[in-house]
Amino acid sequence: MSYKKQNQLKTFFKQLIKTADLYGVNSNMETILLHPFKEVIINFPVKFDNNHVTIFQGYRIQHNNFLGIYSGGIRLEQTLGLDDIRIFALLMTLKSSLVNIPFGGSFGGIKINPEKYSKNEIEKIIRNFIQKLNKDIGPEVDILSPDLNTNSTVMSWILDSYLSKLPPKQRKKSIQLVTGKPIESGGILGREKAVGQGLVYIIEKWAKDKKFKLRGAKYFVQGFGNVGSWVSRLLKPLGCKLIAVEDSSGAISNIKSIDPYKLAEYRKENGGIAGFPGTRKNNH
């Protein structure tokens, strides 16, 4: 573990304790919050079409289920480690409790650079991971949701892999294992833009409270995945102008404006925002 990540975890815990003390949280509860209930590390082999076997490492941390079933994201990230997931899992516990939702907090993922693998290879990696993890998850145990580099397609692979190990009679009632799945797999309309829409509601409320005029306001976005792209698309009808974007492929800008709808289509076709017509390339 790098010094930087170790320091991030310590800083996060210090902030948590400081906040808990400020609001008079019982010291026993502080102790419980700082220690996840369960941590799962899985080293699993995947054999590719060239007969080469690669070992991948996946994680699932189930932080706390006092309020209900564990629930949290799953991501694919090259630098992913246990400390990252400990923080995200704890945040999921806190988020659910703060808005009084009867869910606990969890988080997980696979340490991988998804850009290095084809879609078929990613699917094979995902399915192998879920087959090893399936005893630790379930619609009454731990619900998985999309996060960085995991979309509705990935969630459908996760669901299918999990259901394939169940008797036919149990499959229909187990589709609740994942959120963010395609409509045809039992997903719901509006799920794809839900997080981005929530952020836009917050921006609108902030602007109203501060008497800030959104129409004509310029902004930039760091990250143009599902959330960043939807926030940008939903801000356009409010008159806001996107002038700069950065993602893993590069950074672009146009002081006049960038069309977020066209950029979202471009990113879908090209895997990143770099090279989008009508913009200037910037250094990260």
Side-chain angles (χ1 to χ4, degrees), residues 137-139 142-144 158-159 162 174-179 181:
I137 57 177
D142 188 358
I143 297 170
L144 286 66
I158 292 172
L159 180 61
Y162 179 81
S174 296
I175 62 171
Q176 297 94 336
L177 170 72
V178 301
T179 67
K181 52 188 173 286

Side-chain angles (χ1 to χ4, degrees), residues 160-226:
D160 182 67
S161 181
Y162 179 81
L163 295 181
S164 68
K165 300 296 181 180
L166 298 178
K169 291 183 179 180
Q170 293 184 24
R171 293 174 187 172
K172 186 175 181 180
K173 64 180 181 180
S174 296
I175 62 171
Q176 297 94 336
L177 170 72
V178 301
T179 67
K181 52 188 173 286
I183 302 299
E184 59 270 22
S185 298
I188 59 174
L189 293 170
R191 173 59 181 81
E192 184 181 341
K193 70 172 185 176
V195 178
Q197 181 69 76
L199 284 172
V200 171
Y201 286 149
I202 292 171
I203 292 170
E204 288 184 285
K205 180 65 166 60
W206 171 85
K208 183 178 180 180
D209 290 346
K210 298 295 182 180
K211 295 181 173 54
F212 180 85
K213 186 179 179 181
L214 287 176
R215 185 160 298 277
K218 295 180 179 180
Y219 69 99
F220 64 89
V221 173
Q222 186 175 24
F224 205 73
N226 183 64

